[in-house]
Amino acid sequence: MRHSPQSLRGMVSAPHHLAAQAGRDVLADGGNAVEAAVAVAATLAVVYPHMTGIGGDGFWLVAHPDGSVEAIDACGRSAAAADLSLYAGLDAVPWRGPLAANTVAGTISGWALALERYGQGMPIDRLLRDAIHHAEAGVVVTRGGAEIAAAKGAELRGLPGAWCQIFEPEGRPLREGDRLRQPALGATLRRLVADGLGSFYTGALAADIAADLAALGSPVSARDLADHRAEPTVPLHVPVTGARLYNHAPPTQGIAALLILALYDRLGVTGAADGFAHVHGLVEATKQAFLWRDAHCGDPKWMTADPQALLDDGAALDAMAARIDPATALPWPQPSQHGDTTWFAAADGEGRVVSCIQSTYFEFGSGIVLPGTGITWQNRGASFRLAADGWNALKPRRKPFHTLNPALARFDDGRIMAYGTMGGEGQPQTQAALFSRYAWGGVDLQEAISRPRWLLGRTWGEDSTTLKIEDGFDAALYADLAAAGHRVERVGPLTAMMGHAGAIVRHADGRLEGATDPRSDGQVAAW
């Protein structure tokens, strides 16, 4: 079992070791946690292109030394031309291809706003230095990256754009140990340095992006790019035993992550972490949280329910918790969400802690890689429903529902915890497992992530809604869950199906402690 690294001056946790090192070096060069997070984000966009990229969206939580927590929403809206007529004859938005690339990419705007509000002046060329180097010189393909490239090649290589040129340059999927080079993406990053991050949305670079999108058949236009803005927002929050939890407001599923832990906290569960009462309680709390989420969450401008009002209403939370049977599983035929993502965190010696998440949605997003810029465009808008109204219905200039959600906790004893994971539907569930093990079960931070996990529903393209559970729990747990009515599906030892989690805890005395997921290619880089 890996131990939890500790340090005093700064720390980064990221799902790829090169990204963690890039952020750590920014801290060592005098940058703060926000600037380190931008370096991590940029590097992940290059070294983890199957999970994230500058053609996707991002969400930020920033905990400040004064005790405040602020958020940034860098989610792109659907194109002005993305209406029901564009999809005439289709039952759903395609998961891949030009019609899936129907929303603006907000990631870069999030970097820009974070640096504007919270940066301390480190030059952008320094922050993007490592990302540019890895794009131009190449990066060694990991086993996980090679497996995903091989698994998804058949559905991606026939799409318009430069996917094959970049990810199958020798006419086959890149293998573990091969070198992935992305010169066009490197050139785009250099243009962002020269012309500013805003050039992604206006100016010559934006014009080139829009021209490529149009040529490939995407509805996203130059006007859509120019009209985009990242937005500072107020995070959702809820008190639980020993801490106050924070997560991102809609269009993310942050409300679900908070509800799971708030409802579970009301169950009065006793006993060891990962026993039946713990796992069953969290799974049943997940069901209640997802029912509310799926009925209400989406673009906040179109929502009729107030998630913070729900979190503030103790009686309403008590009533939701009372629906949970401590011995019997609620039948669960509900559909679930896809999603592949990168979560990362950074903390500096001044007490600032960042929890950040960015994604292109599916592996390689829409599969549309812009030939002129090397950008892989997201397919987040594929989650829209082709309906005239209702939950997450497609409308022009509307934000899609997001599985992305970064998490933070402020403990009553002065600790600050940034935590999160990729994994679509599994994100709030893994957050709940990690937090409850560490905060309430007394489990070491790294062990809380390394232990086996579970997933109710679908991720990584799976359609089943079973309770998937890794090997490694006490043998009786599997039988006890099945006897309670859970549709248990054992999925073997540690698997990426359960996400790539990470965490950083800043203790009241300034000590930093970090953890990363053995299911990922990640690392905790400490200074």
Side-chain angles (χ1 to χ4, degrees):
M1 184 71 68
R2 289 191 285 185
H3 70 286
S4 301
Q6 300 189 41
S7 69
L8 293 172
R9 303 172 77 181
M11 182 172 285
V12 172
S13 178
H16 194 286
H17 54 277
L18 292 177
Q21 292 166 17
R24 182 266 176 205
D25 289 349
V26 164
L27 292 171
D29 285 351
N32 67 14
V34 170
E35 291 164 330
V38 170
V40 173
T43 304
L44 283 172
V46 173
V47 303
Y48 237 39
H50 50 296
M51 293 294 181
T52 189
I54 64 173
D57 285 341
F59 297 92
W60 293 66
L61 291 180
V62 182
H64 298 290
D66 65 3
S68 63
V69 178
E70 297 182 284
I72 290 175
D73 175 337
C75 170
R77 297 182 181 275
S78 56
D83 58 18
L84 293 180
S85 66
L86 183 67
Y87 299 91
L90 298 176
D91 295 327
V93 177
W95 294 117
R96 304 287 195 183
L99 292 182
N102 60 6
T103 61
V104 172
T107 287
I108 297 294
S109 68
W111 301 357
L113 185 58
L115 293 172
E116 175 188 328
R117 292 174 67 88
Y118 314 124
Q120 54 187 27
M122 180 164 281
I124 192 65
D125 62 338
R126 173 61 189 87
L127 300 182
L128 301 193
R129 183 194 70 187
D130 289 11
I132 291 169
H133 170 80
H134 293 312
E136 294 177 343
V139 61
V140 178
V141 176
T142 64
R143 177 179 300 177
E147 289 174 349
I148 291 176
K152 300 300 174 182
E155 65 186 85
L156 297 174
R157 64 177 62 101
L159 296 175
W163 192 86
C164 285
Q165 176 184 341
I166 296 173
F167 297 108
E168 295 190 352
E170 297 180 10
R172 58 163 177 79
L174 289 169
R175 299 169 181 153
E176 181 182 5
D178 284 349
R179 184 177 297 194
L180 168 63
R181 292 183 173 90
Q182 301 172 82
L185 181 59
T188 296
L189 294 172
R190 287 191 180 277
R191 293 177 73 179
L192 290 170
V193 167
D195 300 332
L197 296 177
S199 64
F200 191 93
Y201 302 99
T202 59
L205 175 57
D208 289 345
I209 291 171
D212 261 355
L213 287 167
L216 296 174
S218 165
V220 176
S221 69
R223 179 62 183 272
D224 295 323
L225 292 171
D227 287 346
H228 172 76
R229 300 289 186 278
E231 301 171 333
T233 61
V234 177
L236 300 178
H237 53 92
V238 67
V240 295
T241 299
R244 179 169 290 274
L245 307 178
Y246 296 85
N247 212 299
H248 215 284
T252 80
Q253 64 173 338
I255 177 64
L258 296 180
L259 280 175
I260 293 169
L261 286 166
L263 297 179
Y264 176 84
D265 191 33
R266 285 166 161 75
L267 300 180
V269 171
T270 59
D274 299 328
F276 172 81
H278 177 218
V279 177
H280 172 80
L282 285 176
V283 171
E284 293 306 296
T286 296
K287 293 174 182 177
Q288 295 298 323
F290 282 4
L291 287 171
W292 195 95
R293 178 202 69 182
D294 292 349
H296 301 292
C297 265
D299 188 330
K301 291 186 177 180
W302 296 78
M303 289 176 60
T304 57
D306 182 345
Q308 187 58 56
L310 173 63
L311 294 170
D312 291 339
D313 189 340
L317 297 179
D318 290 344
M320 290 180 72
R323 298 174 197 146
I324 297 173
D325 188 319
T328 305
L330 178 74
W332 193 246
Q334 303 297 317
S336 50
Q337 303 293 329
H338 292 278
D340 297 303
T341 305
T342 54
W343 174 91
F344 48 96
D348 58 37
E350 298 175 353
R352 193 174 294 101
V353 180
V354 175
S355 180
C356 190
I357 195 163
Q358 66 180 35
S359 172
T360 53
Y361 198 22
F362 278 25
E363 307 95 334
F364 300 104
S366 65
I368 298 300
V369 180
L370 309 189
T373 58
I375 300 170
T376 301
W377 210 262
Q378 66 183 352
N379 65 329
R380 184 60 61 173
S383 68
F384 281 121
R385 295 168 50 250
L386 295 183
D389 51 37
W391 180 81
N392 206 39
L394 175 68
K395 293 183 183 296
R397 302 294 176 91
R398 188 172 190 171
K399 292 184 178 182
F401 169 74
H402 261 278
T403 52
L404 302 184
N405 66 109
L408 272 169
R410 281 194 177 274
F411 289 83
D412 296 347
D413 63 10
R415 284 174 294 167
I416 306 169
M417 180 179 181
Y419 60 108
T421 182
M422 66 81 148
E425 193 88 321
Q427 288 183 42
Q429 300 181 63
T430 291
Q431 289 180 17
L434 195 169
F435 181 86
S436 61
R437 285 168 171 171
Y438 172 77
W440 297 327
V443 178
D444 172 78
L445 187 65
Q446 180 59 57
E447 185 181 352
I449 290 176
S450 298
R451 282 188 181 186
R453 297 201 290 263
W454 61 88
L455 168 67
L456 175 70
R458 178 180 63 192
T459 191
W460 292 82
E462 297 291 333
D463 292 325
S464 68
T465 55
T466 57
L467 177 61
K468 300 167 181 65
I469 188 164
E470 291 179 321
D471 291 342
F473 287 95
D474 184 273
L477 177 66
Y478 305 97
D480 290 344
L481 289 170
H486 296 281
R487 295 171 55 220
V488 175
E489 178 185 351
R490 296 182 67 163
V491 295
L494 303 187
T495 168
M497 178 191 298
M498 298 297 164
H500 295 167
I504 291 177
V505 173
R506 185 183 192 275
H507 293 265
D509 61 3
R511 179 168 46 93
L512 297 169
E513 182 179 11
T516 192
D517 204 321
R519 300 164 183 83
S520 76
D521 300 309
Q523 178 182 330
V524 173
W527 180 48

